[in-house]
Amino acid sequence: MKKFSELNLGFSDAENYKRRENKHFFNSIFVRSDILDRICDQRTFFLIGEKGTGKTAYAVYLANNTHRNTSAILSYIRETEYQQFVNLKEQNHLALSDYTHIWKVIIYLLMAEKIAQDNNEKPIFNFAKFRNIKNAIDDYYENAFSPEIIQAMNFVDQASLSAKLVAQYAEVGGDVNSQRTFTESRFQTNLFYIQRQFEEALRSIKLNYSHILFIDGIDIRPSSIEYTDYLECVKGLANAIWSINNDFFSGIKDSPGRMRVILLVRPDIFDSIGLQNQNNKVRDNSVMLDWRTTYEDHRSSMIFEMADKMLRVQSSSTLQKGEAWDYYFSYQLPTTAPYIREYDPPFISFLRYSLYRPRDIVTMLGILQENYTLYERCNEVLTADDFKSGHFQRKYTQYLLGEVKDQLSFYYSTKDYEMFLKFFQYLKGEMKFDYREFIDAYDNHKQYMSNNNIVCPAFLNSPDIFLQFLYQLNVISYIEDPTDFSHRPFISWCFRERTPSNISPKVKAGVRYEIHYGLSRSLRIGKSVIQ
């Protein structure tokens, strides 16, 4: 067995596993499950999961490997693309429906290039319409097109030139009989023409196996882009994905392989997109990542398998599930449920201080390893003191607060985030509080903002709005006390209550509440002692 300091604990951001040098290691630690089959199902258009639950990891794995006769590619939307959408809107007076058509052309272009680059699909060029559209792409990009959204945006931005090239090669191929005229002032008309040509080309081909285009990156809104501009862009993308999958790709006949595009999206953003019949789309056309388990059953859970496998594959090949974890974490902890078990296994502490997300577990392991190396530990394994140490607590709680900040900053400014943090000063250091104490803290906070002429963020418009906001961020849980005192209190966390039929769980007013253990130190409340 390796020393803990010698283990490769991978990356918190799965995008790193796209690099050639990291693919083999990622394949060795990846936990394969029926989720891969569900993603490859032709009905799946959306991959939904909270930040850190592995959306990108699944997409990268499928992009690195062929699964169920399916080849995939992962593309990211970044700040530059959002800005180009804003510029296109201002230059061409675009509506939301125009955003949808822009995204359709981008998606078709990326899909066509993916198919063309696939070695097993070389006979694809026997189909004249597809060959013509590929020649137009190669001409525009001078045979240097890279399958990225920013590159595809340029094709849309110069729609008049792109349309001329598409028409030129269609005419050479005998697909049109007359010369068309394309001018810069007719952006929408040019765009529709390009879209139709792509659809005819993709409809004409016969694929040997299926192709998926994953689109990632919408979980981060650049600070330079207004939220309304961002939301218009993402709404157009979601509508384009639904329309392409449901109305176009699904209608292509006589092709053994199928085409599909899948959006990676957080539950709260999906809830904001406003798709029609959203509840049905979550149930019928989405895969929602769920790593939930119970303390009692954690050894059989996927999240334990993920942590153990990362350790196991770097050790003896004869190890059984759980043996590597038990080697590095062999200590016992005082029980948190005296009527159920005599002691707590170490992994329960990892669960208590996480949001049941793979990224949380990997981050904890990484921090433990950093401290192990920093303080020149000579033993091969970990102890309970390593997890309880102030060095570990401080680093982990800052990580968890950073995750909250990223999610809040998606909607609000830095000043709004500062007002979010200010609220916890009025809880007087208490991790647990009732509804009346919450109202008192809220009123004192509002009074502070009023006295200092601070504009109230939308999430502080009312006590119940703010309570729901804290719950959705998984900063607090609510606790219901049973009428029968022989039963334990019921604790509800948003991430544990979320299901396909309840994508946005609601907090309950008038009960007790508790702040997440992992945030106590960073919010300067409670005793901040990890057990």
Side-chain angles (χ1 to χ4, degrees), residues 113-169:
E113 189 64 21
K114 163 63 178 170
I115 293 170
Q117 288 183 359
D118 199 310
N119 290 331
N120 291 330
E121 299 293 353
K122 284 183 178 178
I124 214 74
F125 295 105
N126 293 332
F127 299 94
K129 291 183 178 180
F130 186 84
R131 184 174 63 249
N132 295 339
I133 206 78
K134 181 62 171 70
N135 288 337
I137 295 171
D138 290 342
D139 193 339
Y140 181 87
Y141 291 102
E142 297 179 348
N143 295 302
F145 177 70
S146 175
E148 298 175 357
I149 292 175
I150 183 61
Q151 293 263 14
M153 278 292 297
N154 293 331
F155 196 82
V156 171
D157 198 10
Q158 301 294 324
S160 61
L161 173 58
S162 303
K164 288 176 184 176
L165 287 173
V166 170
Q168 174 185 323
Y169 281 98

Side-chain angles (χ1 to χ4, degrees), residues 63-122:
N64 289 348
N65 303 274
T66 299
H67 181 76
R68 277 185 54 179
N69 205 38
T70 299
S71 175
I73 187 172
L74 175 59
S75 293
Y76 296 88
I77 177 171
R78 307 188 190 275
E79 181 172 359
T80 306
E81 287 89 297
Y82 289 118
Q83 189 59 58
Q84 279 196 260
F85 268 95
V86 173
N87 294 340
L88 281 172
K89 177 183 178 180
E90 294 174 350
Q91 294 168 8
N92 300 284
H93 309 289
L94 304 182
L96 177 59
S97 60
D98 296 314
Y99 273 30
T100 299
H101 291 292
I102 290 173
W103 273 117
K104 284 185 177 183
V105 172
I106 291 172
I107 290 168
Y108 291 150
L109 176 54
L110 294 173
M111 181 64 76
E113 189 64 21
K114 163 63 178 170
I115 293 170
Q117 288 183 359
D118 199 310
N119 290 331
N120 291 330
E121 299 293 353
K122 284 183 178 178

Side-chain angles (χ1 to χ4, degrees), residues 383-519:
T383 69
D385 290 339
D386 292 311
F387 201 81
K388 293 178 181 179
S389 75
H391 300 289
F392 173 82
Q393 289 187 50
R394 182 172 57 255
K395 291 178 181 178
Y396 179 69
T397 195
Q398 287 301 321
Y399 151 76
L400 207 58
L401 184 61
E403 294 287 285
V404 172
K405 180 181 180 181
D406 286 347
Q407 189 162 345
L408 187 148
S409 299
F410 181 83
Y411 301 98
Y412 299 100
S413 67
T414 301
K415 290 183 179 179
D416 293 337
Y417 173 70
E418 292 171 357
M419 285 301 98
F420 164 81
L421 292 180
K422 183 73 176 177
F423 165 80
F424 297 96
Q425 296 182 17
Y426 299 103
L427 288 177
K428 302 177 181 178
E430 297 295 330
M431 283 190 66
K432 296 182 179 181
F433 49 93
D434 60 25
Y435 189 67
R436 181 67 261 166
E437 291 169 324
F438 169 75
I439 295 296
D440 289 342
Y442 174 84
D443 289 342
N444 289 332
H445 190 211
K446 289 279 284 190
Q447 187 62 51
Y448 166 81
M449 288 189 290
S450 177
N451 293 343
N452 290 274
N453 297 318
I454 297 173
V455 176
C456 179
F459 58 77
L460 282 166
N461 280 345
S462 76
D464 288 345
I465 288 176
F466 187 49
L467 191 68
Q468 177 65 25
F469 185 72
L470 294 174
Y471 183 64
Q472 287 182 329
L473 287 174
N474 292 304
V475 172
I476 65 167
S477 65
Y478 69 82
I479 305 171
E480 296 180 278
D481 295 308
T483 54
D484 182 355
F485 292 100
S486 64
H487 292 82
R488 302 177 67 187
F490 174 76
I491 303 175
S492 170
W493 289 98
C494 184
F495 72 90
R496 292 183 64 89
E497 299 302 311
R498 183 174 281 117
T499 64
S501 59
N502 185 21
I503 195 171
S504 183
K506 304 304 179 187
V507 71
K508 189 170 185 177
V511 294
R512 295 190 295 124
Y513 309 92
E514 182 173 9
I515 293 174
H516 194 277
Y517 306 117
L519 290 167

Side-chain angles (χ1 to χ4, degrees), residues 249-502:
F249 284 160
S250 64
I252 297 176
K253 300 178 181 179
D254 304 323
S255 177
R258 312 298 297 178
M259 292 173 278
R260 196 155 33 93
V261 56
I262 296 179
L263 179 65
L264 280 55
V265 58
R266 279 191 344 224
D268 57 305
I269 300 175
F270 187 86
D271 200 38
S272 302
I273 290 173
L275 290 171
Q276 292 184 344
N277 298 318
Q278 177 177 285
N279 195 38
N280 292 330
K281 288 180 173 60
V282 174
R283 289 200 309 268
D284 300 337
N285 304 107
S286 305
V287 171
M288 183 175 290
L289 298 182
D290 181 3
W291 297 85
R292 290 176 297 176
T293 184
T294 63
Y295 289 173
E296 291 75 20
D297 298 328
H298 76 269
R299 296 280 292 197
S300 61
S301 68
M302 278 183 57
I303 196 166
F304 179 79
E305 166 69 8
M306 178 276 302
D308 176 66
K309 189 174 184 181
M310 182 178 292
L311 309 179
R312 188 171 73 241
V313 298
Q314 300 180 64
S315 307
S316 170
S317 60
T318 61
L319 290 177
Q320 300 298 309
K321 179 180 177 180
E323 290 182 347
W325 181 268
D326 292 339
Y327 175 80
Y328 291 106
F329 299 91
S330 58
Y331 55 87
Q332 297 177 354
L333 297 168
T335 182
T336 53
Y339 297 105
I340 299 176
R341 54 186 177 271
E342 295 181 1
Y343 63 89
D344 279 357
F347 197 73
I348 287 181
S349 290
F350 282 76
L351 291 178
R352 288 183 70 201
Y353 284 88
S354 76
L355 297 177
Y356 292 46
R357 305 179 303 191
R359 182 179 295 170
D360 298 341
I361 306 299
V362 171
T363 299
M364 288 188 211
L365 291 172
I367 294 172
L368 287 169
Q369 190 181 65
E370 288 174 10
N371 291 342
Y372 182 102
T373 304
L374 180 64
Y375 299 105
E376 299 181 344
R377 293 282 304 281
C378 57
N379 55 313
E380 296 181 358
V381 300
L382 281 297
T383 69
D385 290 339
D386 292 311
F387 201 81
K388 293 178 181 179
S389 75
H391 300 289
F392 173 82
Q393 289 187 50
R394 182 172 57 255
K395 291 178 181 178
Y396 179 69
T397 195
Q398 287 301 321
Y399 151 76
L400 207 58
L401 184 61
E403 294 287 285
V404 172
K405 180 181 180 181
D406 286 347
Q407 189 162 345
L408 187 148
S409 299
F410 181 83
Y411 301 98
Y412 299 100
S413 67
T414 301
K415 290 183 179 179
D416 293 337
Y417 173 70
E418 292 171 357
M419 285 301 98
F420 164 81
L421 292 180
K422 183 73 176 177
F423 165 80
F424 297 96
Q425 296 182 17
Y426 299 103
L427 288 177
K428 302 177 181 178
E430 297 295 330
M431 283 190 66
K432 296 182 179 181
F433 49 93
D434 60 25
Y435 189 67
R436 181 67 261 166
E437 291 169 324
F438 169 75
I439 295 296
D440 289 342
Y442 174 84
D443 289 342
N444 289 332
H445 190 211
K446 289 279 284 190
Q447 187 62 51
Y448 166 81
M449 288 189 290
S450 177
N451 293 343
N452 290 274
N453 297 318
I454 297 173
V455 176
C456 179
F459 58 77
L460 282 166
N461 280 345
S462 76
D464 288 345
I465 288 176
F466 187 49
L467 191 68
Q468 177 65 25
F469 185 72
L470 294 174
Y471 183 64
Q472 287 182 329
L473 287 174
N474 292 304
V475 172
I476 65 167
S477 65
Y478 69 82
I479 305 171
E480 296 180 278
D481 295 308
T483 54
D484 182 355
F485 292 100
S486 64
H487 292 82
R488 302 177 67 187
F490 174 76
I491 303 175
S492 170
W493 289 98
C494 184
F495 72 90
R496 292 183 64 89
E497 299 302 311
R498 183 174 281 117
T499 64
S501 59
N502 185 21

